Amino acid sequence: MGGRRRKRLSLIAAGVVSAVALAAAPAHPAGVTRDGDPPGGPSSSAPAEKVPAFGAYLDYGPRGVQRIDELSQWLGGAELRVGHTYLPGDRWSNIEGAPRFLEAWAAWRKERADRLFVLNVPMLERNEEGLGDGEVADLLRQGAAGRFDHHFRALARRLVDLGVPDTVLVPGWEMNGTTYTHRCGPDPEAWKTYWNRIVTTMRSVAGQKFQFDFTPSRGRDAVPWTQCYPGDDVVDIIGMDSYDQPRGMPFDEQVTEPYGLQDHVDFAAAHKKPISYPEWGLFRNGDNEEYMRRMLKWMDEKKPVYNTVTDYCPHGIWQCKENPGASEVYRKVLSGRDDLPTAPAQPPVTPPACSPLELGEWVEHWLGGKLCLRLDWWQGQRRP
């Protein structure tokens, strides 16, 4: 705005104010509160809700941290508040959090107070070596007896020392399946006792503020996941890993199947726990736009603490180019999303017979909207 125009508007405004005829009506954007707004102002007519935190699993190590910013840019600057990785389960030294593995994740987490660092923790070494049920049962009983406590104490101290004592930990994920050595099926009672020992051991470390996320895979799988639930006192969040499978199963059936999405939500509510989706994404049904649309809508409605899509083929939507349709759905829904509170949309307030003044973007931003000049100020009280 040029100097001559600014001067002219200043004179007009001064004259109008002196005549007590200026009707200032800031049009507030829905859900946004300006500094100095009184209680009960435009943005307090409905309770604001924080947008659920979301992110993606992008890589195990430092490259995964770097890709968070790249994915954010692809999503139009959307705020990814969740960083998610997995400790290698090949040997105990890695399960303890080997040096140089967690540093980059810890640094990312500490850059903003509202970020979440989610860490999947194997409960046993040789976690993907296909050990038989007999050997797994024996290892679970050893864990239940306390043989492996020192490994988890070391991990807890490592996380506290790195400055991430509030890490969300996902021990023994997908325990109701057959993929991992840390599975529950060979001895559910020993598994639950072992989980209790892990949580109790890690909570005993000074300075910790960990949250423990119990996360089965969707559906019954090898055993009903409810048989593995270790108890409310040692669980903070009840999660679910949910991929678009098996082949041919529509989303509605994924919701209603035994131990499916609805049972997960109901179980968590019954135990007064929040929910999460540490892993989700495409799978057996290929580039399924309907699944992507419905799963995003489901999570928006159910308000998990966090969700992280698994972003590699065949599940992914950014690094995997095999799913262009679902990728576009994901991008369209989440592009530009941030962590600002949301509230029901409200129409802008505009007084009658009002002409908006063009005061410039920075002035309007400070005021929270435009100023309107009533054209009938000289008529006094308006007649109906």
Side-chain angles (χ1 to χ4, degrees), residues 83-282:
H84 185 191
T85 193
Y86 300 71
L87 289 172
D90 53 346
R91 61 189 68 184
W92 282 116
S93 59
N94 284 328
I95 296 174
E96 292 178 358
R100 295 180 298 280
F101 183 81
L102 292 171
E103 280 82 350
W105 292 101
W108 175 87
R109 163 63 186 89
K110 291 184 289 185
E111 286 176 0
R112 277 188 55 162
D114 62 349
R115 285 178 173 172
L116 292 177
F117 175 42
V118 178
L119 181 64
N120 279 45
V121 180
M123 292 170 66
L124 293 166
E125 66 176 351
R126 297 184 293 158
N127 199 37
E128 297 184 41
E129 293 186 12
L131 303 188
D133 282 354
E135 188 171 2
V136 168
D138 180 62
L139 289 168
L140 291 175
R141 291 166 194 150
Q142 292 181 48
R147 179 178 176 185
F148 309 126
D149 289 0
H150 61 288
H151 298 301
F152 296 98
R153 188 176 296 109
L155 173 61
R157 288 172 176 162
R158 177 102 176 103
L159 291 168
V160 170
D161 290 345
L162 285 171
V164 285
D166 56 355
T167 297
V168 177
L169 300 167
V170 191
W173 68 98
E174 299 182 11
M175 78 299 293
N176 55 323
T178 60
T179 301
Y180 301 110
T181 300
H182 65 215
R183 61 191 183 271
C184 167
D187 192 335
E189 293 307 313
W191 193 92
K192 289 185 283 188
T193 302
Y194 184 24
W195 171 288
N196 272 264
R197 288 204 69 102
I198 291 171
V199 172
T200 301
T201 297
M202 297 189 74
R203 283 179 175 170
S204 71
V205 172
Q208 69 79 32
K209 295 181 284 187
F210 302 125
Q211 295 186 76
F212 292 89
D213 190 333
F214 170 81
T215 299
S217 56
R218 197 198 76 240
R220 187 183 189 281
D221 215 324
V223 295
W225 51 262
T226 53
Q227 294 182 11
C228 307
Y229 187 67
D232 290 345
D233 56 334
V234 288
V235 171
D236 300 296
I237 302 168
I238 297 178
M240 177 163 280
D241 289 351
S242 185
Y243 291 97
D244 185 22
Q245 63 172 343
R247 189 179 304 278
M249 179 180 279
F251 188 80
D252 285 336
E253 191 173 345
Q254 296 178 28
V255 172
T256 60
E257 67 171 328
Y259 309 103
L261 290 171
Q262 188 62 56
D263 281 351
H264 166 231
V265 170
D266 293 343
F267 185 87
H271 289 264
K272 297 181 173 58
K273 303 292 182 183
I275 62 172
S276 70
Y277 298 98
E279 291 184 30
W280 69 278
L282 304 162

Side-chain angles (χ1 to χ4, degrees), residues 16-37:
V16 173
V17 170
S18 63
V20 199
L22 182 63
H28 289 260
V32 176
T33 304
R34 290 185 298 134
D35 290 341
D37 271 345

